[in-house]
């Protein structure tokens, strides 16, 4: 089932993504809904080895700092996790939100401007599913400081980083989330997340 194996991938096979497949995934992401049809997502394909190395070094440092939040067995468990595949993934994408897009003419954001960012998240999820249909995995890297990534990619100052995405064919496909397989956290049932008033 497509959604069951829409897992966050951190272990990638040594296999490039064909340009035609990457283009198809990106074109499908463009079909995502957006507030006011603003299409505020801006995607940067990281091609520079130096830029990728700098991003990986920053994420490693942020990960080491995040590890200090845990003690005892939790600290050991955290440090045993692989939380990104920046060095191994054949493709690295950074998705930004243009906070002042001309498209959409401001429709739908007068009271909820965050809808622009939510639209970008929807585009990422659409991209994620489009990748999965082609057997491509995606890992969303969140252990980073956006302010450190933005200058590395030289984007306009009114773009906000929404996601750093590693794309590639998974080394070990699985329909069980890696954090569950590694004993970190199991997924909870719908009954734990659905409320009535």
């Amino acid at each position: 089932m497509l959604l069951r194996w829409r897992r966050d991938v951190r272990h990638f096979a040594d296999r490039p993504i064909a340009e035609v497949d990457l283009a198809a995934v990106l074109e499908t992401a463009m079909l995502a809904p957006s507030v006011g049809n603003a299409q505020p997502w801006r995607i940067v394909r990281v091609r520079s080895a130096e830029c990728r190395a700098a991003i990986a070094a920053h994420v490693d440092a942020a990960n080491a700092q995040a590890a200090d939040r845990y003690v005892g067995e939790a600290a050991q468990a955290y440090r045993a996790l692989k939380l990104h595949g920046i060095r191994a993934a054949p493709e690295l994408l950074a998705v930004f939100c243009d906070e002042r897009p001309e498209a959409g003419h401001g429709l739908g954001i007068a009271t909820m401007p965050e809808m622009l960012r939510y639209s970008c998240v929807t585009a990422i999820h659409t991209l994620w599913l489009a990748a999965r249909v082609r057997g491509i995995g995606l890992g969303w890297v969140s252990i980073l400081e956006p302010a450190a990534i933005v200058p590395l990619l030289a984007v306009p100052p009114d773009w906000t980083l929404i996601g750093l995405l590693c794309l590639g064919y998974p080394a070990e496909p699985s329909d069980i989330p890696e954090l569950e397989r590694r004993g970190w956290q199991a997924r909870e049932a719908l009954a734990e997340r659905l409320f009535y008033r």
Side-chain angles (χ1 to χ4, degrees), residues 66-152:
D68 292 338
R69 298 177 58 216
Y70 301 97
V71 295
E73 289 183 13
Q76 288 180 320
Y78 181 90
R79 287 185 174 90
L81 296 171
K82 180 177 181 181
L83 297 178
H84 74 82
I86 294 171
R87 291 180 181 87
E91 294 291 338
L92 184 63
L93 305 176
V95 179
F96 292 87
C97 178
D98 183 346
E99 302 288 354
R100 295 179 182 83
E102 290 184 20
H105 311 290
L107 179 68
I109 61 172
T111 56
M112 291 184 68
E114 64 271 24
M115 289 299 294
L116 289 170
R117 297 180 187 186
Y118 298 161
S119 296
C120 294
V121 171
T122 301
I124 290 172
H125 193 249
T126 303
L127 186 154
W128 208 329
L129 296 179
R132 173 59 192 116
V133 165
R134 291 165 178 80
I136 299 167
L138 183 150
W140 188 331
V141 183
S142 61
I143 302 172
L144 53 78
E145 291 290 343
I149 302 298
V150 168
L152 293 174

Side-chain angles (χ1 to χ4, degrees), residues 3-64:
L3 292 174
R4 191 167 296 283
W5 195 90
R6 184 270 339 123
R7 296 289 148 236
D8 199 5
V9 175
R10 300 177 185 109
H11 303 271
F12 294 95
D14 184 17
R15 176 183 168 197
I17 300 173
E19 286 293 324
V20 65
D21 290 328
L22 182 61
V25 166
L26 293 172
E27 286 292 340
T28 303
M30 298 304 100
L31 300 176
S34 62
V35 64
N37 201 23
Q39 305 152 75
W41 45 80
R42 306 292 180 258
I43 302 172
V44 176
R45 188 177 177 191
V46 180
R47 304 300 301 273
S48 159
E50 295 80 10
C51 189
R52 184 188 284 244
I55 291 171
H58 167 74
V59 172
D60 286 343
N63 186 35

